[in-house]
Amino acid sequence: MRKIFYTLFFCAQILLMGTSCTDYLSVPVEADKNTEDIFGDYYNFQGFVDQLYPYVRDPIVNHICYDASYGGETIGTTTWSTGYNAVRGLYKAMTTRGYYNIDGEGVAPGVWVGWKAIRIANIGLENFDLMKGTEEEKNKIKGQLLFMRAFFHQEILAAWGSIPYVDKVLEDEFKLPRFAEYTALDGNTYYGYQACAVRVAEDMQEASELLPVVWDNDVANRGRCTALAALAYKARALVYAASPLMSQYSGTSPTDLKPAEVNKALMKEAAEAASEAIKMAEDNKTAYGLLDWDHYSDMFYTVDGTTIPWSKETLWGKYNTLKGNGLINNTLGRIHLPESSVYGGNAVNCTPTQNYVDLFEMNDGTLYDKKYDGEVYTVNGEQKCTMWDDRDPRFRKAIYVDRDKPGDKTQLTLYTGGKTRSADNCQTPYYIHKFWPYNCNKTDNGTRLNNFRMMVPLMRLAEVYLLYAEAVFQSEGNANAIIGPCGISALAAVNKVRERAGQDPTDANGGYHNGFMNMILNERAVEFCFEAGQYWDDIRRYKLGEKMSKEAIQTLDFTKDWKNFARRTLVNRTFDAPKHYWLPFPTNLTKMYPEFPQNTGWE
């Protein structure tokens, strides 16, 4: 019987940047066991699979001074912050910290470590036939391996563009082409980005047929991938692949560009997958569903000291068990919180830009108009501001404004010259509220601070509804069309998400957005603001970034008594096409062999 040694477990994957095999991890327990010992028994095999889960990254919690606002949602002054680099197009800096960090050995590695997870998954799949167990046990093992392999390919693919789909343990043949060709199970042949995305979709489909919809002993197994999560990722992979940018880069090389148009066939497949996922959630309402508005924040944070923020709306993400003031001092307080001496942290801030604030509709569904800047009125003796108080309810759930109270003893002073605004590199009169519980800071309530837990979902049910709406509309051209078993139209899917928040429903023409697709993209920007990079994905995949180039990134100045409101430009956005469509690959990787070229503009 041959041994499974460390070298076999973690030796070089195709794209591991030339790092030595022995640099990755300490020797696992399995290293001294026979292959039959590891893979022949369900519990041992599950232990092998469990090492995959730590590779899943949280876009905020796992990183210091970097969040997921890659689309320019925020602005910052510190050169290592997302808010500084994103609006300036400094993508190389974006690969040195945060979710897209390519340093697999640093204190906070990013999703690039997924290449290691892909190899582990492939080792498991190649030894799968050794397993002795029930059909259910075999399905769980294989389903998790397929899901993980597909998930990490999708995360890297969406940010860096076309990559080879690695479906075997590579030992000698490392020179796989970036822009591959693949004939799918449906008989169609795909190239480049779409070739990899279709492989993701096929693995996710098989995983969905093997994995439990809900695991037994849900509390003990919470955080494991499920059939519903697999269908959701199949839908996302296909929606992205069908988008104009991804269609354009689905040739045989970076220069073999195809028409930048929507692939309606792939959109229809995406709609079918999302429809199945919605139906699965509807059929399992005890386990899945959109959170009601009063409990909306439960998927982002808890402060009871025991509950981990994994909700019935959360389909996938990093299952974080971290707790306490370290999440403020090392995470939120280094990214989103003001006045480090009052709230905690160390004076690194990325605050929402006026441009992003403008995306939130008024509470009647009309679009924000600059004429509302500084429109103040009084209700029962209290001053109100139209631009802050008459908006989509998600605005105040996500963003703090001047005079808001983040705790019983504290208040934000965000007028020009106010203490909170003057502190800690703050450039705009807004702070991110979405992940920051009331009274959770070093001044207001020590108990809540010590009990604080947070996470950023990587996939939640609300996204499935919006993926479905986008895919149905793009494939059928009709917001009232229905695809698959869920039984609802694209329009009904969008309104389900809007109405959960108490926002007025839209119509088949996209309400005031001048088109249903424009409304969908705006809805995604509002619903998933500051979460996991969807806004950046969207402005790239619909090639909006190049239209936003040179855009004035603005702040808002005003006096303490809410007078003299005026916008001011902080910087002009840099988005150079085609350079900023994709992140740059590590230079040493693109020099390994000619079939793996660098992305255009980063040569």
Side-chain angles (χ1 to χ4, degrees):
M1 294 184 291
R2 61 190 177 91
K3 298 277 190 178
I4 293 291
F5 292 104
Y6 175 54
T7 303
L8 176 61
F9 269 65
F10 301 111
C11 196
Q13 183 57 275
I14 178 176
L15 304 177
L16 288 180
M17 304 166 288
T19 309
S20 167
C21 298
T22 56
D23 289 341
Y24 294 145
L25 299 171
S26 59
V27 179
V29 174
E30 294 91 338
D32 293 328
K33 294 186 177 182
N34 296 317
T35 53
E36 289 80 0
D37 291 335
I38 300 169
F39 303 113
D41 174 77
Y42 170 70
Y43 294 100
N44 285 344
F45 208 147
Q46 184 59 64
F48 175 86
V49 172
D50 283 346
Q51 68 184 310
L52 289 165
Y53 287 90
Y55 287 99
V56 180
R57 314 304 296 163
D58 185 298
I60 295 179
V61 175
N62 291 139
H63 308 288
I64 298 174
C65 304
Y66 229 76
D67 64 6
S69 297
Y70 295 97
E73 302 95 311
T74 63
I75 184 77
T77 61
T78 46
T79 57
W80 57 83
S81 68
T82 331
Y84 184 90
N85 293 312
V87 294
R88 292 171 171 82
L90 301 175
Y91 282 17
K92 282 191 177 180
M94 287 162 54
T95 63
T96 62
R97 284 177 178 263
Y99 195 65
Y100 298 116
N101 182 7
I102 60 175
D103 180 6
E105 309 307 316
V107 294
V111 73
W112 191 256
V113 298
W115 289 116
K116 303 176 187 179
I118 289 167
R119 181 173 179 85
I120 295 169
N122 281 331
I123 290 172
L125 288 166
E126 290 198 6
N127 287 279
F128 179 72
D129 289 342
L130 295 175
M131 182 180 169
K132 299 177 180 67
T134 67
E135 195 67 21
E136 179 183 5
E137 290 172 339
K138 290 180 179 180
N139 288 346
K140 288 178 178 178
I141 293 296
K142 189 174 184 180
Q144 289 175 91
L145 293 170
L146 289 168
F147 180 97
M148 288 293 195
R149 181 170 75 180
F151 166 75
F152 285 107
H153 276 100
Q154 173 60 24
E155 294 297 275
I156 296 169
L157 173 68
W160 276 273
S162 182
I163 53 174
Y165 197 85
V166 183
D167 61 356
K168 61 182 179 180
V169 180
L170 300 176
E171 297 180 355
D172 300 315
E173 302 174 22
F174 292 103
K175 296 184 179 181
L176 301 182
R178 270 194 65 198
F179 288 79
E181 174 184 340
Y182 178 64
T183 300
L185 297 177
D186 62 10
N188 293 317
T189 299
Y190 299 92
Y191 299 89
Y193 187 102
Q194 289 175 350
C196 186
V198 168
R199 293 297 312 275
V200 169
E202 288 181 351
D203 269 3
M204 285 297 187
Q205 175 60 42
E206 186 176 357
S208 74
E209 296 166 3
L210 298 172
L211 288 168
V213 176
V214 179
W215 283 75
D216 295 334
N217 193 351
D218 178 51
V219 175
N221 284 303
R222 192 163 295 166
R224 293 195 185 280
C225 46
T226 64
L228 182 49
L231 286 172
Y233 269 100
K234 177 183 178 182
R236 184 195 278 184
L238 292 174
V239 164
Y240 278 31
S243 300
L245 175 65
M246 287 63 173
S247 292
Q248 186 177 27
Y249 281 81
S250 290
T252 57
S253 73
T255 56
D256 180 22
L257 301 179
K258 304 305 178 185
E261 58 191 21
V262 170
N263 185 310
K264 292 186 176 181
L266 288 179
M267 279 292 186
K268 187 169 185 179
E269 288 185 43
E272 290 167 348
S275 184
E276 289 180 28
I278 291 169
K279 179 65 163 56
M280 187 177 288
E282 288 289 324
D283 289 344
N284 294 273
K285 291 184 177 179
T286 302
Y288 298 109
L290 297 181
L291 293 181
D292 63 76
W293 189 237
D294 288 342
H295 295 92
Y296 181 79
S297 296
D298 291 355
M299 66 181 115
F300 305 119
Y301 59 73
T302 59
V303 290
D304 61 9
T306 57
T307 307
I308 293 175
W310 187 286
S311 74
K312 63 191 300 185
E313 184 167 336
T314 306
L315 303 185
W316 184 242
K318 175 72 172 179
Y319 190 68
N320 288 318
T321 58
L322 300 174
K323 182 178 78 168
N325 58 14
L327 288 172
I328 293 292
N329 293 333
N330 297 321
T331 300
L332 290 190
R334 292 190 175 200
I335 308 172
H336 296 160
L337 272 58
E339 287 190 90
S340 57
S341 62
V342 177
Y343 299 105
N346 71 343
V348 177
N349 274 311
C350 295
T351 57
T353 66
Q354 187 62 50
N355 309 59
Y356 202 71
V357 166
D358 289 348
L359 297 180
F360 289 81
E361 298 172 354
M362 304 305 291
N363 54 17
D364 61 359
T366 57
L367 307 188
Y368 186 76
D369 192 305
K370 293 180 183 179
K371 68 182 181 182
Y372 297 130
D373 288 4
E375 184 177 279
V376 179
Y377 59 96
T378 302
V379 177
N380 297 326
E382 181 183 0
Q383 275 191 308
K384 298 284 186 180
C385 188
T386 300
M387 68 184 301
W388 299 329
D389 293 302
D390 298 342
R391 305 292 287 275
D392 180 328
R394 289 172 290 190
F395 172 65
R396 296 303 290 275
K397 194 75 109 175
I399 295 173
Y400 271 137
V401 303
D402 185 44
R403 302 184 187 176
D404 278 349
K405 294 182 177 181
D408 294 335
K409 305 173 186 176
T410 52
Q411 185 173 33
L412 300 177
T413 54
L414 295 170
Y415 56 87
T416 306
K419 183 182 177 184
T420 308
R421 181 165 177 177
S422 299
D424 300 353
N425 308 304
C426 175
Q427 290 190 281
T428 69
Y430 306 106
Y431 276 92
I432 295 176
H433 178 198
K434 194 166 197 174
F435 311 107
W436 185 18
Y438 187 79
N439 262 342
C440 191
N441 58 73
K442 66 186 294 185
T443 298
D444 282 296
N445 189 307
T447 300
R448 288 173 69 88
L449 179 60
N450 291 332
N451 288 336
F452 175 45
R453 300 177 189 266
M454 72 165 285
M455 74 167 292
V456 181
L458 295 176
M459 174 68 73
R460 52 188 177 96
L461 188 57
E463 183 179 353
V464 181
Y465 282 105
L466 296 184
L467 288 170
Y468 172 76
E470 177 182 347
V472 170
F473 180 76
Q474 290 289 43
S475 61
E476 304 299 317
N478 180 2
N480 290 310
I482 299 172
I483 290 178
C486 72
I488 63 173
S489 67
L491 177 60
V494 175
N495 282 333
K496 191 173 181 70
V497 176
R498 290 170 65 90
E499 292 171 352
R500 178 264 294 274
Q503 182 65 350
D504 283 358
T506 188
D507 59 34
N509 296 315
Y512 296 90
H513 288 276
N514 192 31
F516 192 78
M517 196 59 228
N518 292 337
M519 181 274 299
I520 287 286
L521 292 174
N522 196 83
E523 186 67 18
R524 285 174 56 85
V526 167
E527 178 64 31
F528 307 120
C529 61
F530 317 123
E531 287 186 36
Q534 285 98 326
Y535 183 64
W536 182 60
D537 290 343
D538 290 351
I539 64 177
R540 291 184 302 118
R541 65 192 183 92
Y542 277 95
K543 303 190 71 175
L544 303 176
E546 58 200 74
K547 299 175 184 178
M548 299 162 75
S549 185
K550 311 302 181 185
E551 169 191 35
I553 303 300
Q554 295 187 316
T555 186
L556 186 71
D557 296 327
F558 54 93
T559 55
K560 183 177 181 179
D561 56 1
W562 284 7
K563 293 181 180 179
N564 304 317
F565 285 76
R567 295 185 177 217
R568 175 167 52 89
T569 297
L570 296 169
V571 66
N572 291 318
R573 180 194 288 267
T574 297
F575 192 103
D576 298 330
K579 180 178 182 179
H580 290 129
Y581 289 150
W582 311 107
L583 291 177
F585 284 99
T587 302
N588 59 350
L589 172 61
T590 61
K591 293 180 178 180
M592 288 175 65
Y593 55 96
E595 293 83 9
F596 202 100
Q598 180 62 276
N599 280 321
T600 304
W602 298 105
E603 298 92 341

